[in-house]
Amino acid sequence: MRSRGGRGARARRMVRPGHWAVRARVERFSEPALLLLLRERPTHGYELLEALPALTGEARVDMGNLYRVLRALEEDGLVTSWWESGEPGPAKRTYELTAEGARLLDEWATALRRSRDRVDTFLERYEGR
């Protein structure tokens, strides 16, 4: 089988003959990570931006994408937000998880457990256990 010049699966690429870079990632993982952070406490977008990399494993989070996801979550009734102007500086929008958002987070956790079980099964077989 010959290399197709990087046109294969997005999760892998040949870096040099016989050596592959593989990126195993969970698609759309920023959504459950945001919901989890908001379950812990209502917070500002900038604080979410700082906290997300620790949960997602990404080196950095795109600010524009973060606010698009938050807006979509709010439009779907999964988060709510309001403006706070009590601190020095410009007003900040605070985001909070709704009851519907908490139910979605529960579903994400169930789906991620299933994914973890599949990964564990794969690794156990790979490691010969």
Side-chain angles (χ1 to χ4, degrees):
M1 192 155 103
R2 68 183 190 112
S3 171
R4 299 174 72 179
R7 287 185 233 146
R10 294 184 319 183
R12 65 171 166 79
R13 67 182 174 84
M14 186 180 290
V15 291
R16 63 182 184 274
H19 297 274
W20 294 90
V22 176
R23 186 168 180 207
R25 61 184 216 172
V26 178
E27 297 292 330
R28 295 188 41 85
F29 191 64
S30 61
E31 182 176 290
L34 279 170
L35 296 173
L36 178 59
L37 290 169
L38 292 173
R39 184 184 76 171
E40 293 170 355
R41 68 183 177 88
T43 191
H44 303 240
Y46 188 75
E47 292 170 337
L48 292 168
L49 189 70
E50 290 181 336
L52 270 173
L55 277 177
T56 63
E58 298 292 325
R60 69 174 199 81
V61 176
D62 178 68
M63 185 181 295
N65 189 48
L66 169 66
Y67 285 106
R68 279 188 292 280
V69 171
L70 286 168
R71 198 170 323 125
L73 291 171
E74 189 165 19
E75 287 172 4
D76 290 342
L78 303 166
V79 250
T80 188
S81 70
W82 62 92
W83 288 98
E84 284 186 8
S85 58
E87 299 177 18
K92 295 179 182 177
R93 187 178 287 268
T94 299
Y95 296 89
E96 183 174 42
L97 190 65
T98 65
E100 187 66 20
R103 284 190 288 279
L104 177 60
L105 178 58
D106 291 343
E107 293 300 323
W108 267 110
T110 298
L112 289 168
R113 279 187 202 99
R114 283 192 304 264
S115 291
R116 180 184 61 196
D117 291 345
R118 286 191 304 268
V119 170
D120 287 346
T121 299
F122 171 88
L123 290 173
E124 287 167 7
R125 185 169 178 168
Y126 171 77
E127 293 165 354
R129 290 191 233 158

